[in-house]
Structure formats: C-alpha cells, structure tokens
Amino acid sequence: MIVLSLVLLAFATFCRGGHDSHGKRSNIVFILSDDQDLQVDFLNYMPLLSKHIIQKETFYGRHYCTTALCYPARASILTGKKAHNHNVTDTSKPYGGYPKVVSEGINDNYLPLWLQDAGYNTYYTGKLWNAHNLDNYDSPFARGFNGSEFLLDPKTYEFYSPTFTRNGGKPVNFNGAYSTDMIRDIALGFLDDAAKADNPFFLGVAPVAPNSDIYFTGEDDANGIPEVVTNPPFPAKRHKDLFNDVIVPRTPHFNPERPSGVHWVAKLPLLNATHIEFNDCYYRQRLRSLQAVDELVEALVDKLDRLGMLDNTYIVYTTDNGFHVGQHRLQPGKYCPFEEDVHIPLAVRGPRIPENKKTEIATTHTDLAPTFFSMIGADMRDDFGGAAIPITECGLEEVVHDRFEHVQVEYWGFYLSESKYRYEGRRIPNNTYKALRVISKDYNFYYAVWCTNEHELYDMKSDPYQLHNLYSGDSLANPSRRSAFSVSLSKVVARLDSLTMVLKTCKAEGCVKPWKQLHPKENVNSLKAALNPKYDHFYEVEQPRAKYDHCAEAYLLELEQPTFENMGKQFIPG
Ligand SMILES: *[C@@H]1O[C@H](CO)[C@@H](O)[C@H](O)[C@H]1NC(C)=O
Ligand SMILES: *[C@@H]1O[C@H](CO)[C@@H](O)[C@H](O)[C@H]1NC(C)=O
Ligand SMILES: *[C@@H]1O[C@H](CO)[C@@H](O)[C@H](O)[C@H]1NC(C)=O
Ligand SMILES: *[C@@H]1O[C@H](CO)[C@@H](O)[C@H](O)[C@H]1NC(C)=O
C-alpha cells in the first residue's frame, strides 16, 4: 500500500513538473500582453511567438479571463481569486486602481511575495497595475520584487514616451523611446541579474501592446475620474507599414445586419462606412504594435538559451483580457462577455511540456497562480479560486475526464468606448452582468444574467458567433427547443442558472467544484450529469434564480440577492 502510494505520488509529481532532472527548481518567465484577443486571428501575425513558444509547447485553446478588463483581470492573475473575492472591479477610483489594491491588502498578499517566500528571486517590468502613477507609486511601493521597473501613469499607454520607476526610484520619462522595446531591454537585463543569483527566478514582462494609446488630458470628468483620449496603439517605426491590406475578418458577427446581444448592445446602430474604415485601421495598428512584442518573445528565448537557462524555464504567454473591433456592431473596446473580450491566448513552454500540442480543456486566469505554484512545487493556498493547469503530457491526459468545464465571467460598472466615434457618451452605464460558459466535447453553452434581469443563452455548438439569443424577453423563445446536445433548453437553463447562483459568490475550492455545492453527497461534476431527469424538480422548481435588484457600478451584495448561501438548496439523495 505504502509502495503504491509512493509510486502514485511520484507519478503525480512527475505529472505536475516542478524541477529539472538535477533537482534544480524551474524558473518562470511570464509574458503578459494587454488586450490581446484570440478570436480575430492575432496569433497568425506573431510568427516568432509561434516558432518559439507555440510550436514548442502546449497551446490552451480554451483559456478565458474572468473579467474583461485589465485591472480586475490582473488582480485575479496575481491573487488566484475571482473578482468577487478580491473586489477590485474597475481600473480607477473608487472601485479600482492602485489605491484599491493597497486598501484590499493585495500589495501585502500576492504572487510575487508568495514566490519570494518559496525562495524565488522575482523581477518585473512593464505595466503592473492601473492608476499606478506619479503620485502613488511610492505610497507604498509595489511589494514583492527583487528587481522592478514599472510603467507609470499618466504615460503608461503612450507608446513613444513612457515613464518608469526602477526599484522604487524617482520616476524617469523616456521621451521618444518606444515602450515595448524598452521593456524588452529591461527584461533582458533582469535575466542577467537572475542568472548571477543562486535562487530560481520569476520574471514578469508586461508590455502594453496592443492596448489603445491612452493620453491623459490632465482634466477630471464630472465623477472625478481622469479624462483620457484614446487612439489606436502606435507600432514601432520599423513596423508602421506592415499589413497595409489587412482588414478585420468579416465574420458573420462583424457589424451584423440584425443587432445582437441584449440591453445597450442590442440598441447599437450599424457601423457606417467611416466607422468600418476606422475599425480596420485600428485592427492593423493592433497587429503592427504586436510585432515588437513578437520580437521581445524571441529576444527573451535567445537570451535564456545563451545563459543556459532555457531548458529549465517555463515561459508562459497570455494577456489580461480580450478586445473587440467591429463585432456585434461594437466600436473598438472590451468590457463585454462576448468571446472576443474573454477568450484569450495562453501558451506554455518549458520542461517536460509536450511540443506542439493543443488542448481544449477550460482554463481561466484564476488558474494561473495555482499553475505557477505547481511549476515550482509549492503547496497550494487554501484561498485559490482556481486549479493548476496541467502542463505535462500525463497531466493533460489525467484531467481530460475530470477537469471542470465551466468559466464564470463577471463585471460591474460602465462600458467605455475606446473609439473616437462614441455612442451617446464615452461611458455607457449599467454594463453589469454575470456570464457563464460550459464547454465540453458534447456541448458549449453561454448563459448570462444582466443587471436589467435580461438573459442571454447561446448554443455555441450551432451558433459560435453568439448571434441567436435563445432567450427572448424574459423567457426562452421556445422552451421545448432542443440544443445541439438534444436536451430541452429549459432543462439546460435551469441547471446553468443554478450554477450561476453557486459561482457568483463562490470562494476558494467552491469556485473549482461548483457542482459539489449542489450535490455534496453525489458524484455529479458536469452539466451532463446534472441533466439526469431525477434532478428536474430540484433544478426547475426548488432552486432560487439569479437576479439583480437594480444596476450598480460596483459589487454590492445587497443588490444581488438571493445568494446560494442564503436561499440555495442542496440535493440530498434518500
Ligand atoms: C466592494 O468594494 C466596494 C467599495 O469599493 C464596497 O462598496 C462593496 O461593498 C464591496 N463589495 C463587497 C461584496 O464586499
Ligand atoms: C530577493 O528578495 C527576498 C525578499 O526580500 C530576499 O529574501 C532575497 O534574498 C532576495 N534575493 C536576492 C538575490 O537579493
Ligand atoms: C458615420 O457616422 C459618423 C458619426 O459617428 C459620421 O461622422 C460620418 O460622417 C458617417 N459616415 C458616413 C459615410 O455616413
Ligand atoms: C442604469 O440603471 C439604473 C438603476 O437600475 C437606472 O436608474 C438608470 O436609468 C440606468 N441608466 C441607463 C442609462 O440605462
């Protein structure tokens, strides 16, 4: 028995990775781009990323952020928690921004500090947080890094004149320097430092491309929030003439004839010819701005190779959230639960990672901190709301049958247009929602409840572009209609709504195994299992429904009653 356990333990450890054959712990290089979606073809325009990372590693084809906005997404990456648990829900005050990270205690309890506790040297360059600026960067300084050079507002998004603070020093503006190239060179310098030390290291590299170029006017709006002007991102001069003929792919959901979505999205007018030209230009500028990121990837790989560290270093490439350009009639921007905004790249290269493999298991940003822990062999924290992403061949095989299949996306607050063509105003209020994806071989559903209590249901096996909302008004358009999975949609919705109820206030392990909350005494861990007719009454009649009292700009629990904790039922057989 003991021998068997030891064998199993060894196997499990092997399946997780952690150190090389000499027992030296692996390093991690984490590259985080800004607002890079997966839907509209970006990776095809990054040949070096493809050569050095994607063909050398595993590409996770179903990776999602859990909030479609930089700041909450970054807070989830660096804490391993959903936004409803860290409550950093916006990019600026009062519900987000660097001061909120400090007041929520994140600066004293997050990934870099945990990595240092595990004996790692930690380095970071680029954008760490939003609203991290000249006034607040040293009150207090971002903790947890042995070496750091952070971009600071108001110049974080000005591609040609960034301001950095190095190791807490006085901020320096580099007028005329190209931000991504500077970040590349700073990162290469940190690799030299890391190579001299005995400890293993973690290096975070966070360029702002392909985020919009954002210029702070210096004025505040009526809400006391800094006014900004947004432009398409600026590429490095050497890339400015690339892709002159490229346009946004004209997929069925690009500026669709019939409006899609609900709430304010459903009211959007068609884009006119001027808008479309502008969207195409935006798209090209995004592709061009990514070229310097692509080169940065190659420079880091070459340097690791020259320093003899490539074989024992994990390289993780992702972005904070996605971005849409013209889909669903939306002008360039993010903040929505549509695929463009939440479905993003994740690629991992490193020791024992199978080459050129693509997996379709569902993974999210809250899984990244647990994944880093697994890579370095650290004990998982109890408060992680995600689970380590398997990275080895056997790890990937192990989870095919029992890894969770859900992705929960949540948002509170306004929608901000990043186009010069605005809707009624720059901000559209009440863009508050909870959306759910359930993805398996057999089905692929999207379900959302908005703060207006409108619902969306897309059967994405038959409707991958999210154009046909099967919910109309406040009921299913045709409750007896069957999904591609040949189950009545009203039965599917009853389950998805209960799953939403559990996930909207889930904590820790409860976010990873939500079906367990509903079926504590049974082995139900998928939508398919929950669709057993013996649970029909339980789901269709006994459970409370997810709803909002009214729309708000912040996560206010009193407006989101009932919760699973106070009204939800558990199925107890017998
Ligand atoms: C989240 O933070 C806001 C203030 O930023 C606060 O008003 C709200 O109550 C918090 N939500 C929860 C559920 O703690
Ligand atoms: C990195 O910082 C940690 C925490 O302050 C410290 O224990 C460690 O010695 C530092 N590493 C180096 C190489 O200075
Ligand atoms: C499209 O609408 C914008 C306003 O959003 C307007 O400035 C422009 O002239 C319009 N273009 C055409 C071709 O109608
Ligand atoms: C936003 O929601 C609030 C509360 O539900 C409502 O009073 C307000 O009219 C809404 N604003 C818009 C522009 O829909």
Side-chain angles (χ1 to χ4, degrees):
M1 193 60 204
I2 292 173
V3 174
L4 180 67
S5 317
L6 284 178
V7 170
L8 285 176
L9 185 68
F11 182 75
T13 311
F14 181 74
C15 286
R16 281 201 301 268
H19 41 71
D20 72 5
S21 51
H22 310 294
K24 190 162 172 22
R25 289 194 293 167
S26 304
N27 311 305
I28 299 174
V29 171
F30 177 51
I31 306 170
L32 182 68
S33 67
D34 199 329
D35 287 4
Q36 181 176 4
D37 65 285
L38 186 61
Q39 289 313 100
V40 278
D41 237 11
F42 278 112
L43 292 177
N44 290 338
Y45 293 93
M46 298 186 74
L48 301 174
L49 175 70
S50 179
K51 174 174 154 202
H52 293 294
I53 312 289
I54 297 181
Q55 286 167 26
K56 288 281 176 200
E57 55 75 43
T58 303
F59 186 74
Y60 295 82
R62 297 225 172 263
H63 187 71
Y64 289 82
C65 61
T66 47
T67 306
L69 182 60
C70 311
Y71 209 155
R74 282 160 195 256
S76 289
I77 292 172
L78 293 173
T79 61
K81 291 181 192 164
K82 292 271 164 64
H84 69 254
N85 286 325
H86 58 61
N87 200 13
V88 175
T89 58
D90 196 358
T91 52
S92 54
K93 63 183 178 182
Y95 308 118
Y98 184 57
K100 173 81 167 162
V101 155
V102 172
S103 71
E104 290 288 334
I106 293 175
N107 194 40
D108 299 318
N109 193 16
Y110 71 144
L111 186 69
L113 289 167
W114 303 330
L115 292 170
Q116 283 185 333
D117 285 346
Y120 273 64
N121 287 333
T122 53
Y123 306 90
Y124 195 99
T125 182
K127 168 173 156 188
L128 181 66
W129 298 118
N130 296 73
H132 192 198
N133 62 32
L134 295 178
D135 296 329
N136 65 24
Y137 77 96
D138 58 352
S139 53
F141 199 71
R143 295 185 58 196
F145 296 101
N146 292 81
S148 65
E149 193 153 349
F150 304 124
L151 281 167
L152 291 183
D153 283 359
K155 300 282 190 179
T156 302
Y157 308 91
E158 281 187 44
F159 283 83
Y160 273 105
S161 58
T163 297
F164 287 91
T165 168
R166 187 171 177 96
N167 297 331
K170 196 162 169 294
V172 180
N173 181 257
F174 296 86
N175 200 11
Y178 189 63
S179 169
T180 310
D181 292 346
M182 278 201 67
I183 290 168
R184 176 196 63 206
D185 294 343
I186 295 164
L188 294 176
F190 282 144
L191 284 182
D192 283 325
D193 297 348
K196 285 184 212 126
D198 290 333
N199 298 347
F201 71 87
F202 171 94
L203 167 66
V205 184
V208 289
N211 201 314
S212 303
D213 183 276
I214 300 175
Y215 166 73
F216 287 73
T217 63
E219 308 282 306
D220 283 353
D221 70 9
N223 304 308
I225 315 263
E227 271 291 2
V228 296
V229 175
T230 52
N231 278 304
F234 291 107
K237 294 207 171 77
R238 61 189 180 280
H239 301 133
K240 73 178 176 35
D241 297 320
L242 292 174
F243 315 129
N244 281 334
D245 300 327
V246 174
I247 58 172
V248 184
R250 298 303 197 251
T251 48
H253 62 330
F254 179 81
N255 200 22
E257 215 37 63
R258 280 183 41 216
S260 42
V262 294
H263 191 21
W264 64 270
V265 180
K267 299 192 189 94
L268 292 174
L270 268 173
L271 304 176
N272 70 25
T274 316
H275 299 145
I276 290 175
E277 201 184 315
F278 178 73
N279 277 254
D280 285 335
C281 156
Y282 223 103
Y283 184 65
R284 285 190 290 275
Q285 289 293 76
R286 285 169 55 75
L287 296 179
R288 290 167 181 148
S289 76
L290 275 168
Q291 300 313 300
V293 179
D294 204 31
E295 293 171 0
L296 170 155
V297 171
E298 175 158 79
L300 291 175
V301 170
D302 286 351
K303 180 85 173 184
L304 285 166
D305 198 14
R306 267 181 282 130
L307 292 169
M309 302 195 295
L310 186 57
D311 288 345
N312 195 27
T313 300
Y314 290 101
I315 305 179
V316 179
Y317 185 96
T318 189
T319 188
D320 47 8
N321 50 263
F323 201 80
H324 51 254
V325 184
Q327 294 80 27
H328 303 280
R329 302 183 173 185
L330 289 157
Q331 300 272 6
K334 47 217 181 217
Y335 301 80
C336 293
F338 290 124
E339 282 293 272
E340 287 67 31
D341 295 20
V342 296
H343 184 192
I344 51 181
L346 171 69
V348 186
R349 162 185 178 145
R352 288 204 302 270
I353 291 196
E355 287 196 11
N356 213 355
K357 190 172 171 91
K358 185 164 189 227
T359 169
E360 297 287 324
I361 55 169
T363 61
T364 78
H365 271 357
T366 42
D367 300 329
L368 291 179
T371 305
F372 295 143
F373 268 47
S374 146
M375 286 170 172
I376 70 169
D379 290 336
M380 291 298 155
R381 293 175 55 87
D382 293 339
D383 60 356
F384 278 153
I389 298 169
I391 48 178
T392 61
E393 186 97 46
C394 58
L396 282 163
E397 274 156 24
E398 247 178 23
V399 297
V400 164
H401 302 292
D402 63 359
R403 191 173 167 90
F404 57 83
E405 52 179 26
H406 66 276
V407 174
Q408 188 227 2
V409 176
E410 49 193 4
Y411 194 79
W412 301 263
F414 55 85
Y415 175 90
L416 183 79
S417 174
E418 293 182 31
S419 168
K420 67 177 171 186
Y421 299 104
R422 302 282 159 76
Y423 307 114
E424 288 127 47
R426 202 160 67 82
R427 286 159 166 253
I428 298 179
N430 298 345
N431 184 49
T432 296
Y433 58 78
K434 300 188 189 298
L436 177 67
R437 287 293 298 283
V438 175
I439 308 163
S440 81
K441 264 198 338 292
D442 299 318
Y443 43 78
N444 183 351
F445 290 110
Y446 164 107
Y447 176 71
V449 182
W450 287 74
C451 64
T452 52
N453 293 318
E454 287 163 283
H455 293 70
E456 279 173 295
L457 176 69
Y458 302 111
D459 182 350
M460 293 184 59
K461 278 245 178 216
S462 54
D463 180 22
Y465 295 106
Q466 303 175 293
L467 286 168
H468 306 287
N469 185 7
L470 300 172
Y471 237 96
S472 78
D474 54 9
S475 65
L476 273 172
N478 176 357
S480 61
R481 184 175 162 157
R482 288 176 180 266
S483 61
F485 176 52
S486 87
V487 173
S488 123
L489 284 176
S490 63
K491 295 195 184 302
V492 170
V493 164
R495 272 73 175 177
L496 295 181
D497 197 275
S498 296
L499 197 57
T500 301
M501 281 296 291
V502 172
L503 288 169
K504 74 190 178 106
T505 50
C506 69
K507 287 199 164 61
E509 170 101 290
C511 302
V512 179
K513 297 186 173 156
W515 296 108
K516 191 90 202 151
Q517 311 284 312
L518 292 152
H519 297 269
K521 305 242 184 271
E522 293 168 300
N523 187 22
V524 172
N525 60 7
S526 66
L527 172 63
K528 193 172 183 172
L531 279 164
N532 186 323
K534 74 175 173 188
Y535 306 130
D536 281 355
H537 190 265
F538 172 66
Y539 282 108
E540 291 170 38
V541 181
E542 292 175 37
Q543 295 290 15
R545 292 294 166 228
K547 61 183 172 60
Y548 292 83
D549 188 75
H550 63 265
C551 293
E553 303 275 284
Y555 175 33
L556 303 175
L557 199 49
E558 61 275 22
L559 303 184
E560 302 186 10
Q561 299 294 325
T563 61
F564 182 71
E565 288 73 23
N566 63 24
M567 292 280 282
K569 303 273 185 306
Q570 296 191 315
F571 188 90
I572 307 296

